């Protein structure tokens, strides 16, 4: 499986869009960011810490185009990194999020396509992308194309069906490239303005270098809006996974939640089963539970969150990792131009195969000042603390300090 170069895709998308007569339908915005970072543990090791200064140059662009037959959005930047003490000789990457929607037959036949390129954590249960620039990570490129139809002419009913092709590529040799073919059908029935019922079915064929599988998923449920901006939903069903030449597993799946808007804050509770994209597995099933508290403040916002996830290798139907976590994020407008951010997260990873656990603390603090004329200045400090009684490599701390200047043209 080969990846398409993100820069070429980005330029091609921009070149194919004709400049419209109405400027409101088209927006093209270049930008550039320059930053300098100091880290006291660039390789995030328990012993033999090595510090370094990292210079980053990120030229980029954003493009939005809307027309009767086509919507297109592209956000891209090239990320060049220079390590002053030669910790790494070449560490450049791309960040691309390109999406398009073509209306082939008005209000009936559509074509969606997307290309997402970014650096991701190789461990599906532990996101390291905000903690390090490269440790245990790989560049990932996901290309999708989905023709589908929508029938909404029958009163109270909406029928949607189609096909989705997904190609997933990893730069790191340990990452497992995947090709997925998905046929899907969705039916929704609006009982009242507040109550709707839904049913979904999908059939997936996934091919990887590790193994091939087929998956059936079927769910039914509904959504009820019992007050303004307050609703509850629940869907349940089953998933049947068959590994070609291997075992077959049938498991219950669900997706449910509650959002209640109080006068001064909002609470969201959710739970479900999803098949998370795992760079090191053909398929990983994640069962999750989460609670989120959002409170808008007079000059900012406060977010509190707690979560639990259970990761199961579907090839063996065995639990591999449990993750518990919680934390908060506070945004505050100190002045008209100066904004501060403070965040804290604590997580615990229980690894069943090793009969061991790891604890993590993560602190993220920052200031951003709007200089005017599209310029902004940012200061960020991040502290990471890992501890494990049995896993030696999971005992280290990292201090990172960054300063950046950004210009939006």
């Amino acid at each position: 499986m080969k990846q398409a170069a993100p820069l070429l895709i980005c330029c091609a998308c921009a070149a194919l869009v004709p400049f419209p007569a109405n400027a409101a339908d088209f927006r093209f915005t270049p930008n550039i960011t320059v930053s300098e970072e100091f880290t006291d543990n660039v390789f995030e090791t328990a012993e033999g810490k090595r510090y370094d200064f990292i210079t980053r140059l990120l030229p980029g662009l954003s493009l939005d185009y809307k027309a009767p037959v086509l919507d297109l959005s592209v956000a891209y930047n090239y990320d060049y990194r220079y390590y002053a003490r030669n910790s790494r000789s070449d560490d450049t990457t791309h960040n691309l999020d390109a999406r398009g929607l073509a209306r082939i037959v008005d209000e009936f036949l559509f074509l969606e396509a997307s290309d997402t390129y970014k650096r991701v954590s190789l461990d599906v249960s532990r996101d390291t992308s905000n903690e390090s620039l490269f440790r245990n990570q790989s560049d990932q490129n996901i290309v999708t194309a989905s023709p589908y139809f929508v029938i909404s002419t029958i009163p109270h009913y909406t029928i949607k069906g189609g096909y989705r092709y997904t190609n997933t590529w990893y730069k790191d040799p340990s990452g497992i490239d995947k090709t997925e073919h998905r046929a899907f059908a969705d039916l929704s029935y609006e009982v009242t303005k507040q109550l709707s019922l839904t049913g979904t079915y999908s059939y997936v064929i996934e091919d990887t270098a590790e193994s091939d599988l087929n998956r059936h998923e079927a769910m039914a449920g509904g959504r009820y809006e019992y007050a303004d901006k307050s609703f509850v939903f629940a869907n349940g069903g089953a998933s049947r996974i068959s590994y070609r030449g291997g075992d077959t597993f049938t498991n219950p799946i669900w997706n449910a939640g509650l959002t209640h808007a109080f006068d001064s804050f909002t609470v969201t509770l959710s739970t479900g089963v999803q098949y998370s994209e795992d760079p090191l597995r053909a398929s990983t099933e994640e069962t999750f539970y989460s609670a989120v508290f959002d409170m808008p403040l007079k000059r900012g916002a406060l977010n509190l969150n707690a979560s639990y996830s259970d990761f199961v290798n579907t090839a063996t139907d065995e639990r591999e990792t449990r993750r518990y976590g919680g934390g908060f994020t506070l945004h505050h407008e100190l002045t008209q131009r100066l904004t501060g951010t403070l965040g804290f997260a604590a997580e615990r990873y229980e690894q069943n195969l090793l009969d061991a656990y790891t604890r993590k603390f993560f602190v993220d603090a920052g200031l951003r000042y709007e200089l005017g004329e599209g310029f902004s200045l940012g200061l960020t400090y991040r502290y990471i603390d890992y501890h494990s009684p049995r896993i030696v490599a999971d005992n280290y701390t990292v201090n990172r300090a960054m300063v950046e200047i950004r210009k939006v043209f």
Side-chain angles (χ1 to χ4, degrees), residues 69 102-111 147-148:
V69 297
R103 302 171 186 85
I104 299 173
V105 177
D106 190 34
E107 297 184 353
F108 174 70
L109 186 60
F110 305 84
L111 173 62
Y148 65 92

Side-chain angles (χ1 to χ4, degrees), residues 3-167:
Q3 59 126 353
L7 182 58
L8 293 178
I9 292 175
C10 185
C11 293
C13 290
L16 289 174
V17 177
F19 194 91
N22 184 356
D25 296 332
F26 180 83
R27 185 173 72 249
F28 178 79
T29 309
N31 60 77
I32 186 168
T33 301
V34 180
S35 73
E36 186 70 24
E37 173 180 338
F38 169 78
T39 174
D40 68 349
N41 192 357
V42 65
F43 294 114
E44 300 191 354
T45 54
E47 297 180 356
K49 286 186 177 182
R50 178 184 175 92
Y51 73 88
D52 211 333
F53 296 89
I54 307 167
T55 303
R56 298 174 67 184
L57 178 65
L58 297 93
L61 60 88
S62 65
L63 180 151
D64 287 286
Y65 174 73
K66 294 186 182 298
V69 297
L70 177 66
D71 291 346
L72 179 66
S73 67
V74 178
Y76 169 80
N77 66 56
Y78 173 73
D79 190 347
Y80 169 79
R81 303 162 180 183
Y82 173 75
Y83 293 76
R85 301 188 69 233
N86 299 316
S87 298
R88 290 169 68 85
S89 58
D90 180 18
D91 187 24
T92 60
T93 186
H94 307 267
N95 295 285
L96 171 68
D97 186 4
R99 302 179 183 276
L101 172 63
R103 302 171 186 85
I104 299 173
V105 177
D106 190 34
E107 297 184 353
F108 174 70
L109 186 60
F110 305 84
L111 173 62
E112 284 185 335
S114 67
D115 187 1
T116 304
Y117 191 107
K118 60 183 178 180
R119 186 161 290 183
V120 299
S121 173
L122 286 169
D123 187 342
V124 68
S125 66
R126 188 185 306 188
D127 185 5
T128 60
S129 58
N130 284 329
E131 304 170 14
S132 169
L133 294 178
F134 60 86
R135 186 176 188 268
N136 198 33
Q137 297 173 38
S138 171
D139 286 6
Q140 175 201 71
N141 192 45
I142 300 179
V143 176
T144 67
S146 178
Y148 65 92
F149 66 88
V150 176
I151 299 174
S152 56
T153 54
I154 306 174
H156 306 292
Y157 285 91
T158 300
I159 302 171
K160 180 179 178 180
Y163 162 80
R164 181 177 297 111
Y165 167 82
T166 304
N167 184 298

Side-chain angles (χ1 to χ4, degrees), residues 336-350:
Q336 188 174 2
R337 292 191 174 188
L338 181 63
T339 302
T341 302
L342 177 63
F344 172 79
E347 289 186 327
R348 176 186 170 103
Y349 312 95
E350 295 182 355

Side-chain angles (χ1 to χ4, degrees), residues 181-309:
H181 304 272
R182 176 187 294 264
F184 61 90
D186 302 334
L187 172 66
S188 65
Y189 173 62
E190 185 182 78
V191 182
T192 66
K193 291 294 183 181
Q194 292 77 34
L195 176 63
S196 60
L197 304 177
T198 59
T200 65
Y201 170 78
S202 64
Y203 175 63
V204 177
I205 300 175
E206 184 177 286
D207 299 321
T208 74
E210 181 185 69
S211 59
D212 300 332
L213 63 86
N214 299 335
R215 184 169 72 238
H216 296 267
E217 298 176 41
M219 287 202 299
R223 181 183 187 275
Y224 178 62
E225 185 170 349
Y226 58 89
D228 184 35
K229 299 179 181 178
S230 299
F231 59 89
V232 60
F233 68 93
N235 299 279
S239 170
R240 181 178 177 85
I241 299 178
S242 301
Y243 282 86
R244 274 164 264 172
D247 296 325
T248 297
F249 304 99
T250 301
N251 294 308
I253 57 176
W254 65 87
N255 184 22
L258 167 70
T259 296
H260 186 84
F262 293 89
D263 292 339
S264 58
F265 61 90
T266 300
V267 173
T268 301
L269 306 175
S270 61
T271 179
V273 176
Q274 63 187 9
Y275 293 94
S276 301
E277 172 54 38
D278 189 340
L280 304 181
R281 296 283 186 275
S283 179
T284 293
E285 181 185 270
E286 178 186 358
T287 302
F288 66 90
Y289 302 87
S290 69
V292 179
F293 172 92
D294 287 303
M295 174 182 285
L297 305 175
K298 185 176 181 180
R299 298 175 62 179
L302 173 65
N303 170 276
L304 304 174
N305 62 84
S307 65
Y308 165 82
S309 288

